[in-house]
Amino acid sequence: MTDLVPLLIILPALNEQETLPGVLAEITTALPTAHILVVSDGSTDATAQVARCGGARVMDLPFNLGVGGAMRAGFRYAKTHGYTHVVQVDSDGQHDPALIVTLCECMNATGADIVVGARFAGVGDYRVRGPRRWAMRLLSAIISRVAHTKLVDTTSGFKLMGPRALELFAIDYPAEYLGDTVEALVIAARAGLRIEQVAVHMRPRAGGRPSHNPLKAAVFLVRAIVALLVALLRPRTRIAQDSR
Amino acid sequence: MSGYLFALTFGVLTAIWMILLLRSRHLREKYAVIWILIAVLVVVVGIWPSILAWLSRLLGVQTPLNLAFFVAALILLLLSVQASVELSKLESQNRRLAEEVAVLRTDLDELRTVQLGSQSGAGSYGSGQDRQGLQLPDWQLQDTPGQDLHSPDLRGQNLRSQDSLEEA
C-alpha cells in the first residue's frame, strides 16, 4: 500500500544538520517512493540546505514554533497538496525508518486512523525511571481509557496518520508543550478516531543523551498532568462528515 | 481633603494621558475607553467624596476606603485577565501566520524549481531531485501531489488516491 499512495513523511527538525542526512538517506532507502518534508523549526544552522541536498522538500518556519507548530504546518501542507497519509518521524535518528512499513501494515490490518509507534510495548530496551516513568504510566493509563484501547507510549513522536486524522489535525493541532503528543491523542480519541499502537524499538539518539535529572522529570510530570487536564477540559472538535 | 485632591489630580492626568495616547494611535479605543472611564470615576469620587461614603453604607462596608481598594483591585484583575486573553489570541494568530507563511514559501520554492526545471531541462535540487533520481512509476508521476499545484481540481485527485488505497 505504501508504494501505491504517495506517503508524506514529515520530519520536524530544530538544528539537526548533523543527523539529518543519515536519516534522510535511510528513509529513501527504506521507502523510495515516499515524499519527505523537513520542517525546519526556526533552525539557525544549515538544516534547510542539508535537507534539500538530501532530496527532501523543506518548509522553513520563520521562527521557532515547537514540534506542535511544525507538525500543524506540515499537516496543512499535506492537506493542501492532497496527501492522504502522513508519518511523523524524529529527525534525530531515534526512529528506524524501516519501521514505517510496520506502521502502515498495522493501519491496513486494523483500519485505524492513527498508528503510534510505541517504545515500551515489549520490543527494544528503551527504559525510563523515577518520576518520568510514573508520569508516562499515568498518562498512558488515562489516555487508554479515553481512547478505548491500550496505549503504552503516549509521548511517542513516531506516528502514522490516515485521512481522517489528517483532516482533524490540519484544523486542530495543539502547539503547547506535550500538546503534540498527549493532547493530540486526546483530541483524536474524542473526535471518534481509532488509535492503534505497534511495538517498535528505539535507537539511541545520534546526538545528545536523554536527561535523567529527577527535578526535570518532576517538572515533566506536572506539565504532563496540566496538558492532560487542559486536553480533557476542552470542547470536542468535530470533523466534517465528508472527510472520508 | 488633600488626599482627595491627590486623587483628583491623578484622575485628570490619567484621562489626559489616555487621550494623548489615543490621538497618537498608540492605544486603540477598545482599551482606552475603560481607562478613561476609570479616570472619570476617580475624578467624580475626588470631587464628591460623599458618594464613596454613601455607597459603602449602602453595601455595608464599614470603612469607605476599603470599598475603594476592593473596587480598584477588582478592576485591575479584570483588566489583566482581559490582557492575557488578548495576548493568547494574538499569539495563536501569530503562530497561524507563521505556519501559513511557511506553507506558502514552500509552495513558492517548488514552483520556482519546477519553472527552472522546465526552462533548463533539468531540475538541479530540491523536489525535482527525488522524482528524477528514483525512477518512480509512471502513474505516480502523474499523481504526484506536488503537481497538484497546477491542477485546479484538487478534490478529484484527492479522491482518486484514496480509492486506490481502499482497493489495495
Side-chain angles (χ1 to χ4, degrees), chain A residues 187-206:
Chain A
I187 290 173
R190 295 176 90 205
L193 300 191
R194 259 191 79 187
I195 307 170
E196 288 293 335
Q197 68 173 9
V198 163
V200 294
H201 63 85
M202 290 281 153
R203 300 182 296 193
R205 283 194 259 190

Side-chain angles (χ1 to χ4, degrees), chain A residues 67-202:
Chain A
V67 180
M71 284 310 294
R72 192 162 66 185
F75 289 135
R76 295 211 145 188
Y77 176 91
K79 218 185 143 223
T80 52
H81 288 71
Y83 289 98
T84 55
H85 292 73
V86 165
V87 183
Q88 177 188 349
V89 180
D90 277 3
S91 50
D92 60 3
Q94 260 195 97
H95 306 140
D96 184 353
L99 293 171
I100 295 172
V101 180
T102 318
L103 296 187
C104 293
E105 279 162 0
C106 173
M107 180 170 275
N108 268 352
T110 60
D113 296 299
I114 298 174
V115 179
V116 182
R119 290 166 285 188
F120 312 110
V123 182
D125 53 358
Y126 187 86
R127 295 272 181 279
V128 283
R129 276 162 296 161
R132 189 173 277 266
R133 185 186 149 102
W134 309 332
M136 288 180 153
R137 283 232 165 145
L138 182 75
L139 286 176
S140 78
I142 297 172
I143 294 176
S144 296
R145 291 202 75 154
V146 177
H148 304 296
T149 175
K150 182 147 178 56
L151 299 171
V152 292
D153 185 11
T154 53
T155 52
S156 170
F158 190 33
K159 283 180 284 190
L160 167 66
M161 266 89 35
R164 294 212 308 155
L166 204 57
E167 188 79 25
L168 175 69
F169 287 156
I171 320 165
D172 189 5
Y173 201 69
E176 286 80 26
Y177 179 73
L178 282 173
D180 61 299
T181 50
V182 175
E183 201 181 339
L185 286 180
V186 175
I187 290 173
R190 295 176 90 205
L193 300 191
R194 259 191 79 187
I195 307 170
E196 288 293 335
Q197 68 173 9
V198 163
V200 294
H201 63 85
M202 290 281 153

Side-chain angles (χ1 to χ4, degrees), chain B residues 30-41:
Chain B
K30 186 161 84 165
Y31 305 105
V33 167
I34 183 77
W35 286 114
I36 291 175
L37 275 179
I38 291 168
V40 168
L41 206 76

Side-chain angles (χ1 to χ4, degrees), chain A residues 1 3-6 28 32-33 35 37 52-63 65-66 69 72-73 76-77 79-85 108 163 170-172 175 242-244, chain B residues 92 94-103 105-107 109-110 125-127 129-131 134 136-137 139-140 143-149 154-155 157-159 161-162 164-166 168:
Chain A
M1 177 190 93
D3 33 29
L4 278 178
V5 183
T28 7
T33 54
H35 293 173
L37 177 72
R52 275 198 195 94
C53 293
R57 288 162 210 198
V58 177
M59 182 182 290
D60 216 345
L61 294 176
F63 44 82
L65 291 179
R72 192 162 66 185
R76 295 211 145 188
Y77 176 91
K79 218 185 143 223
T80 52
H81 288 71
Y83 289 98
T84 55
H85 292 73
N108 268 352
I171 320 165
D172 189 5
D242 60 344
S243 65
R244 189 133 209 173
Chain B
S92 78
N94 196 27
R95 279 174 168 278
R96 278 266 178 234
L97 276 179
E99 289 161 23
E100 214 59 44
V101 166
V103 171
R105 196 155 60 178
T106 311
D107 285 351
D109 277 354
E110 253 163 60
Y125 71 98
S127 56
Q129 202 179 34
D130 53 358
R131 269 167 230 159
L134 289 162
L136 302 178
W139 68 267
Q140 203 174 24
D143 239 359
T144 302
Q147 296 178 351
D148 284 356
L149 278 176
L154 208 141
R155 213 163 254 285
Q157 294 239 346
N158 201 341
L159 283 174
S161 45
Q162 253 171 277
S164 57
L165 165 77
E166 269 152 28

Side-chain angles (χ1 to χ4, degrees), chain B residues 4 7-8 11 37-52:
Chain B
Y4 286 115
L8 197 71
L37 275 179
I38 291 168
V40 168
L41 206 76
V42 172
V43 171
V44 167
V45 173
I47 297 173
W48 298 288
S50 50
I51 294 177
L52 195 63

